[in-house]
Amino acid sequence: MAGNEKAICEFLFSNIGNINLKHIGTLRQIGIPDKNYPGYRLAESLSDISTLSTTDSRKKADVYLNGKGVSLKQAGSSFSFNRLQRANLIQVYSRLGLTAPQTILTQLDQEIHRFHQGLLSSRDRPWQNFFSENDFKTLLNFLMMLGSPNLGISQHPAELILEAPATQISQDTIKIYSFDEYFNRYKEKLHIAIRRQWIGQTSKSEHGRAISLAKKSDNLPWVFDDVVGTPRGGWRNDIDEADRKTVYFLMIEKKK
């Protein structure tokens, strides 16, 4: 979810009945997704907005506006999908019917190795290096609107995407897109972003995620025994230097 999700929802709630939104019409109600089941409960006060979950990866719709599931994005740079791991790729590609999934995976393997060796000028790679436009659009639609590799189809799929700035939210600065509209507007700004974390870094959460990724055999081609780069917070004292590893994953990022 966007970093400004609660500010967006507070603005919308304060303007119920007074704001007209593309694809939605005059806003009549805001629904908060149920954490465990399909459906939603209506927000009846501003305090209800504070109960919105910002970290629940099971849902693609962050809120329901007039009953339509809406994914919230902050205007400008944003991540369309976080932490795509290698172990999920073949299953997802095959499920979605992408062209030559093993070839795509091999190309990504080669790019990760080249990046690890310092042979790439940027960690942000054009999606066109790996996918046809139709295949990338199919993949992005699934990841943004429908589900996730680990959890499958969401109980809260999104029908629409709402973008708003971090500050000065107004009817004029709120933009609402269908997925096709969003893709056509931003496809040249989207990139496959190579990211890494380390077994042995100080951050407990990042260290734990790196260990979890490295435990899966299908992720091992993206796990390296030599350390490249330095984590922002430095290294843990309870992990021997010889046990540190560099672990890679992918993000799909929209640039400004």
Side-chain angles (χ1 to χ4, degrees):
M1 186 187 285
N4 61 340
E5 67 283 339
K6 290 182 180 176
I8 294 172
C9 291
E10 288 171 356
F11 172 83
L12 293 173
F13 186 85
S14 298
N15 287 277
I16 286 178
N18 298 315
I19 188 170
N20 191 278
L21 301 171
K22 183 181 178 181
H23 297 302
I24 291 171
T26 300
L27 183 62
R28 300 297 182 190
Q29 60 175 232
I30 297 177
I32 298 173
D34 190 290
K35 292 182 180 180
N36 300 309
Y37 304 99
Y40 58 90
R41 61 183 177 86
L42 293 180
E44 298 180 350
S45 67
L46 276 176
S47 63
D48 287 337
I49 299 301
S50 66
T51 66
L52 281 166
S53 172
T54 62
T55 58
D56 189 351
S57 61
R58 294 171 296 179
K59 61 182 177 58
K60 297 285 114 172
D62 297 309
V63 295
Y64 288 86
L65 304 181
N66 290 0
K68 294 184 177 182
V70 179
S71 173
L72 303 180
K73 296 291 182 186
Q74 186 167 300
S77 296
S78 64
F79 289 107
S80 302
F81 190 80
N82 297 332
R83 300 184 184 281
L84 190 60
Q85 58 179 290
R86 186 185 187 279
N88 297 136
L89 295 182
I90 285 293
Q91 180 183 3
V92 171
Y93 293 170
S94 299
R95 177 179 186 172
L96 298 176
L98 302 192
T99 306
Q102 185 59 57
T103 299
I104 299 172
L105 183 60
T106 299
Q107 291 172 327
L108 287 169
D109 286 348
Q110 292 170 348
E111 205 80 340
I112 295 287
H113 278 258
R114 292 178 66 209
F115 181 73
H116 185 74
Q117 294 165 0
L119 300 177
L120 299 181
S121 59
S122 171
R123 62 183 182 174
D124 298 327
R125 315 309 298 159
W127 57 262
Q128 295 91 338
N129 287 5
F130 314 103
F131 302 94
S132 68
E133 180 170 318
N134 185 64
D135 279 354
F136 183 67
K137 184 177 180 180
T138 298
L139 175 64
L140 190 65
N141 181 61
F142 173 74
L143 296 175
M144 288 187 67
M145 312 296 284
L146 303 177
S148 65
N150 284 325
L151 301 172
I153 297 297
S154 174
Q155 295 185 33
H156 298 286
E159 296 180 54
L160 300 168
I161 300 164
L162 183 154
E163 271 195 336
T167 60
Q168 300 181 330
I169 299 171
S170 68
Q171 178 161 341
D172 290 338
T173 60
I174 288 174
K175 306 298 180 185
I176 297 186
Y177 305 98
S178 67
F179 176 77
D180 283 348
E181 291 169 342
Y182 181 90
F183 185 81
N184 289 334
R185 179 177 178 84
Y186 292 121
K187 62 183 178 182
E188 299 306 322
K189 296 181 180 292
L190 292 165
H191 298 269
I192 305 294
I194 300 172
R195 297 292 184 266
R196 62 189 167 207
Q197 53 201 23
W198 297 265
I199 293 176
Q201 68 183 101
T202 299
S203 169
K204 182 177 180 180
S205 59
E206 295 297 299
H207 167 72
R209 288 192 190 102
I211 289 175
S212 179
L213 289 174
K215 285 181 178 179
K216 297 181 180 180
S217 60
D218 286 342
N219 283 333
L220 292 181
W222 294 5
V223 177
F224 297 84
D225 291 333
D226 59 317
V227 169
V228 170
T230 304
R232 185 175 301 172
W235 299 103
R236 304 169 68 93
N237 294 323
D238 58 341
I239 300 291
D240 290 338
E241 184 174 348
D243 293 329
R244 297 171 184 170
K245 296 181 186 293
T246 309
V247 181
Y248 289 91
F249 57 92
L250 301 177
M251 313 276 266
I252 300 178
E253 185 176 7
K254 178 175 73 68
K255 299 290 189 180
K256 288 184 179 179

